[in-house]
Amino acid sequence: MEWSNGYVHGIDYPVSFFAEQSPVHLSVGCVILGVEPVPLDRPFTYMELGCGQGLTSAVLAAANPQGRFYAVDFLPTHVQTAREMVDAASLDNLTVLECSFEQMAGGEVDLPQFDFVTMYGVYSWVDATNRQYIAEFLRRYLKPGGIAYLNYNAMPGWSSALSLQRLLREFGRDSTQSCERQVAQGCALVGALRDQNAAAFARAASDGLGLRLEMLGGKHVDYLAHEYLNQGWDALYSIDVIQAMAAVKLDYVGSALLENSFAELYLTQGQRDLLAGLPNSAMRELAWDHLRNSSFREDIYVRGARMMSPARRDAWLERCGVALTLPRSRINLELTLVIGKINADARLADPMIEALLERPHSLVELAALPEIRSRGYGLREVASMASLLMAGRQASIFFLSAAGNDQAPAARLNRVIAARSRECDHFQALASPLLGNGVKSSLLQRVAYDQAGHAVLQPEGWVQAMAQAVQRQGAKVERAGVALEAPHEIDAELRYLAEAIAEQRMPVWRNLNMAPQSATP
């Protein structure tokens, strides 16, 4: 078989940032789940397997200067792009490697033991042999007590779309055609089958297949190629993955999606009783997947998980703080989560948000607010609400020790990312040294960030750069979801957006220790 082992090459995977891979997110997740985390107030080591073009690792390395980061990918174009970003931002705590999982598992690369190993869009997209190499790498390199993050396409949610995936994958076998051509041919065949009333697609509207058929027309070809053309692709049952990880001494801890911890919000009492009566966590997860019809899982594993006492867990919560990641105008207590839409308890959420609009607070400070204490809420309830706001991308939990972290690496990387926004919209996140994580940021926000970093302090001075970025990239300026065409309307909307960024987004960035800074004193 060719060097790629059936994995798509010749077309780059879309640049993406995934906050769930953050060491902070994973350690906080362990605390919420009652498992001893990895402390982040001291040096730690981190590896991302299959880093793509390196955005996630670069942002996390910049936001966590106390960590030593490694990232690996076997596609040379990915590695080149990632290394260029590392060099441009002078991130001396991130090493980007080009090698295969087989080389990594076999110890051919000089590596340390790791506190964290993460991967996104890898495990069920490579073949079974490479999944074995990943497991061997974890056995060999993840420290006792270390945390692994693993996601994959899951069953039974993918069952209705397996035939669709097989149709498209068949076109990926023709290496004489470009990936773009393979995707186009596959989508054309699916369209023709639908036009001819193919019975296999007849019930698409009632299951997960319908969504995936719609996505064929709306997703970029680079995403579709990497999702559907890989020859080793498989949708996996969680019990098989849990057992594979157990074979290399990794314990399943829980979901990296914090909202999944609140079963009372989305499962009936009967469903919860059913799960509680099952003999072990692997069986419970398999049953949970059937209750939820899971099609994608994001899971936390620990090499030797140690459950914490309630007092120990509270001690860890006392070391955590919360910060808003959105301005006041975007805060909404109707949270759209993976588990569905929920309404957050306003009696608890409102006073928390009012305090957080001024500045980040520790969980202890929030629990001590008179409006919260008088209603009988305590540290654990505040932590639960913070977890839900975090799941809704409106806030983020961080470790208080991060307040003293060096802000210079994040500032350097953010300047590089913001400058690149003049020409492309690929790198859609900025680093926050307070959160130890990244914050998703739109094209116009990053252009404004770039301008402010060049001492253009008034928002009216940002408009021309915004207009140029939009024009160069063929983007649309929209108002209320409608694309604007008239030049005077576009100019007016850009001026409005520039003012909004200055008044609403800049204070959030300041609270997160990531306000634009000039490269020179």
Side-chain angles (χ1 to χ4, degrees):
M1 184 176 286
E2 61 177 358
W3 63 270
S4 67
N5 292 124
Y7 191 85
V8 168
H9 63 94
I11 184 169
D12 288 339
Y13 189 80
V15 181
S16 300
F17 174 77
F18 301 106
E20 292 81 7
Q21 291 180 260
S22 162
V24 177
H25 182 98
L26 296 174
S27 278
V28 166
C30 283
V31 172
I32 298 300
L33 293 163
V35 171
E36 192 75 31
V38 173
L40 299 179
D41 57 354
R42 62 199 72 172
F44 64 86
T45 49
Y46 179 105
M47 166 63 80
E48 182 183 9
L49 299 175
C51 67
Q53 298 184 57
L55 179 62
T56 295
S57 282
V59 168
L60 297 181
N64 296 276
Q66 78 278 27
R68 179 67 199 169
F69 287 75
Y70 293 78
V72 62
D73 203 279
F74 81 141
L75 295 181
T77 54
H78 287 174
V79 172
Q80 182 180 8
T81 300
R83 286 177 175 171
E84 287 174 352
M85 183 181 298
V86 169
D87 291 343
S90 299
L91 296 180
D92 57 9
N93 67 331
L94 172 56
T95 300
V96 182
L97 303 168
E98 180 197 340
C99 49
S100 68
F101 296 147
E102 180 180 10
Q103 292 172 304
M104 302 283 284
E108 296 183 28
V109 185
D110 184 19
L111 295 171
Q113 297 284 294
F114 292 103
D115 294 290
F116 298 90
V117 176
T118 75
M119 64 206 84
Y120 199 103
V122 172
Y123 193 72
S124 63
W125 290 262
V126 296
D127 60 22
T129 299
N130 275 287
R131 287 196 286 274
Q132 291 173 354
Y133 291 142
I134 290 171
E136 174 60 19
F137 179 86
L138 291 168
R139 184 200 66 78
R140 184 169 188 157
Y141 287 106
L142 187 64
K143 292 180 182 179
I147 300 173
Y149 165 86
L150 191 65
N151 65 29
Y152 53 93
N153 283 334
M155 294 289 279
W158 258 93
S159 58
S160 64
L162 288 179
S163 61
L164 170 66
Q165 198 279 336
R166 181 56 186 270
L167 278 172
L168 295 172
R169 186 173 65 182
E170 283 304 307
F171 285 97
R173 297 185 190 277
D174 184 1
S175 59
T176 65
Q177 299 277 0
S178 69
C179 289
E180 291 86 350
R181 180 61 177 162
Q182 292 168 12
V183 170
Q185 289 176 328
C187 291
L189 175 58
V190 172
L193 288 169
R194 297 185 73 184
D195 290 343
Q196 297 302 317
N197 301 314
F201 300 149
R203 299 178 58 189
S206 64
D207 55 32
L209 175 59
L211 176 61
R212 290 180 174 84
L213 287 170
E214 292 176 12
M215 290 170 63
L216 292 184
K219 283 284 187 179
H220 295 298
V221 66
D222 48 5
Y223 165 81
L224 294 174
H226 284 267
E227 179 65 78
Y228 288 105
L229 300 187
N230 294 313
Q231 298 304 306
W233 184 102
D234 202 0
L236 306 171
Y237 286 99
S238 59
I239 193 168
D240 293 331
V241 179
I242 290 172
Q243 290 171 351
M245 293 299 105
V248 292
K249 300 184 181 180
L250 269 66
D251 300 320
Y252 172 73
V253 170
S255 175
L257 300 177
L258 300 186
E259 61 264 46
N260 285 341
S261 302
F262 301 92
E264 67 278 5
L265 296 178
Y266 65 95
L267 294 180
T268 67
Q269 184 62 54
Q271 290 171 332
R272 300 201 299 274
D273 290 344
L274 184 155
L275 295 177
L278 294 174
N280 55 59
S281 62
M283 282 298 300
R284 285 191 290 275
E285 291 306 308
L286 183 61
W288 185 89
D289 286 332
H290 282 76
L291 288 172
R292 298 291 294 165
N293 196 30
S294 301
S295 61
F296 189 71
R297 288 185 62 103
E298 301 185 49
D299 293 337
I300 298 175
Y301 290 83
V302 172
R303 186 178 177 86
R306 294 173 293 160
M307 299 302 298
M308 295 190 289
S309 68
R312 175 68 174 168
R313 180 171 176 267
D314 287 349
W316 269 105
L317 292 175
E318 290 170 0
R319 299 165 65 176
C320 295
V322 189
L324 292 181
T325 54
L326 293 178
R328 180 191 293 268
S329 62
R330 300 286 303 279
I331 300 296
N332 184 356
L333 294 188
E334 183 181 63
L335 303 175
T336 301
L337 310 176
V338 170
I339 60 175
K341 287 188 176 182
I342 69 165
N343 290 306
D345 182 354
R347 296 170 301 172
L348 178 56
D350 280 342
M352 287 178 60
I353 289 170
E354 284 302 314
L356 294 173
L357 285 168
E358 297 180 9
R359 61 171 177 84
H361 281 61
S362 70
L363 293 180
V364 171
E365 288 178 309
L366 293 172
L369 292 173
E371 304 95 317
I372 290 177
R373 190 176 65 247
S374 65
R375 293 184 174 126
Y377 297 122
L379 181 66
R380 297 176 190 178
E381 288 79 13
V382 167
S384 294
M385 180 56 67
S387 298
L388 290 175
L389 293 174
M390 185 172 176
R393 310 292 186 186
Q394 301 190 30
S396 191
I397 301 174
F398 62 93
F399 289 107
L400 299 174
S401 59
N405 282 350
D406 184 6
Q407 300 177 25
R412 292 196 301 270
L413 179 67
N414 289 342
R415 284 196 297 270
V416 170
I417 291 174
R420 291 186 178 185
S421 298
R422 304 172 203 166
E423 306 297 335
C424 73
D425 192 23
H426 294 163
F427 303 95
Q428 300 180 351
L430 298 171
S432 165
L434 180 69
L435 302 182
N437 211 333
V439 178
K440 291 287 183 73
S441 301
S442 70
L443 171 63
L444 296 183
Q445 289 168 13
R446 299 192 314 276
V447 172
Y449 193 104
D450 178 56
Q451 291 296 295
H454 285 84
V456 182
L457 302 181
Q458 299 303 315
E460 59 265 25
W462 307 341
V463 174
Q464 182 178 0
M466 288 179 167
Q468 290 174 344
V470 167
Q471 184 177 27
R472 286 171 182 161
Q473 298 173 43
K476 296 291 186 181
V477 178
E478 296 183 348
R479 180 187 300 149
V482 177
L484 302 177
E485 300 294 342
H488 71 279
E489 290 184 330
I490 293 174
D491 182 73
E493 186 66 14
L494 290 176
R495 290 180 182 278
Y496 166 78
L497 292 172
E499 291 285 351
I501 292 169
E503 294 175 3
Q504 300 181 40
R505 190 67 56 169
M506 288 290 181
V508 173
W509 287 339
R510 283 194 291 272
N511 280 342
L512 300 180
N513 292 349
M514 54 182 289
Q517 300 176 18
S518 173
T520 56

